Amino acid sequence: MKSNNKYNEKRYHIKKNIYHWCLAFQQIRLNLILLVLFLPIVAVTIEMWMNIDFLLALFEAPKIILPIYEIAIKSFGVIIPIILVWSVIETIEALTARKDEASIILAFKENELKNGKPIIIYKNKDKTRGYIRRVWYSPIPLNVWIENQDRIEHQMSETIIKELDYEEKAKDNRIVMISVKGMKQVTEEKPFLDNELEKDMERI
């Protein structure tokens, strides 16, 4: 039983990492301005390779270890840019996913999250109309989402404007959520007693 739980947990975390990476690349594609974050990395990499001879001459390595030293310096010229690019992508991923995922889990009960928490795999905002479209990978069934819709709206401070549903083309548990910022206003007729109380207050 424990081995099954560990396997499912490991599988869930692998999916989460893959989906978050895809989310980061989607955000870069949708917001090309994010490419600016990579410009310093490109500049550092070019500068590093243009001065590779200087770096090699910086330390007078004995001839016996010179080939190893050259390989090490050139490896750093590849590894450092990869680490920097990785860090930027993870930052974009975290900034996009962290707040939404932290809010959504508060809308569900602990027993509803036992198979895993919802993972955001797509997010886009229609700047003209203000609609926010999210796609979640969800171990939680759709009917539970629908039952908890009021709580989801409350935790995310948004109003869902289209019925929650599975994504048509997807073959796994992907739930589409379309919303707008702000809570919907509930307008109800005031009870008779409230109206009378308001009149009394006006007299006073």
Side-chain angles (χ1 to χ4, degrees), residues 39-54:
L39 291 179
I41 300 172
V42 173
V44 168
T45 305
I46 292 170
E47 185 70 21
M48 189 183 297
W49 281 99
M50 285 179 68
N51 293 285
I52 195 76
D53 292 335
F54 171 76

Side-chain angles (χ1 to χ4, degrees), residues 40-144:
I41 300 172
V42 173
V44 168
T45 305
I46 292 170
E47 185 70 21
M48 189 183 297
W49 281 99
M50 285 179 68
N51 293 285
I52 195 76
D53 292 335
F54 171 76
L55 293 171
L56 289 170
L58 194 61
F59 175 68
E60 293 182 6
K63 287 184 179 180
I64 193 168
I65 64 166
L66 187 59
I68 298 170
Y69 178 64
E70 287 182 3
I71 291 169
I73 291 294
K74 289 177 181 178
S75 296
F76 277 118
V78 174
I79 292 169
I80 291 173
I82 289 173
I83 292 171
L84 293 173
V85 167
W86 186 295
S87 301
V88 171
I89 291 172
E90 286 200 331
T91 301
I92 293 169
E93 161 209 317
L95 292 174
T96 307
R98 187 178 296 165
K99 185 181 176 184
D100 286 352
E101 288 181 353
S103 297
I104 201 78
I105 63 172
L106 295 174
F108 296 99
K109 298 171 186 172
E110 192 174 339
N111 66 309
E112 294 169 341
L113 298 167
K114 63 182 178 182
N115 294 323
K117 300 166 185 175
I119 303 168
I120 187 166
I121 59 178
Y122 178 84
K123 181 179 180 181
N124 188 25
K125 183 173 181 178
D126 185 324
K127 293 177 182 176
T128 306
R129 293 176 289 182
Y131 300 162
I132 305 167
R133 185 177 189 271
R134 294 181 181 87
V135 180
W136 302 86
Y137 169 77
S138 174
I140 304 167
L142 176 63
N143 66 299
V144 178

Side-chain angles (χ1 to χ4, degrees), residues 180-191:
V180 291
K181 285 287 182 187
M183 300 295 293
K184 61 189 172 188
Q185 297 296 316
V186 180
T187 55
E188 296 179 358
E189 290 186 9
K190 292 182 180 179

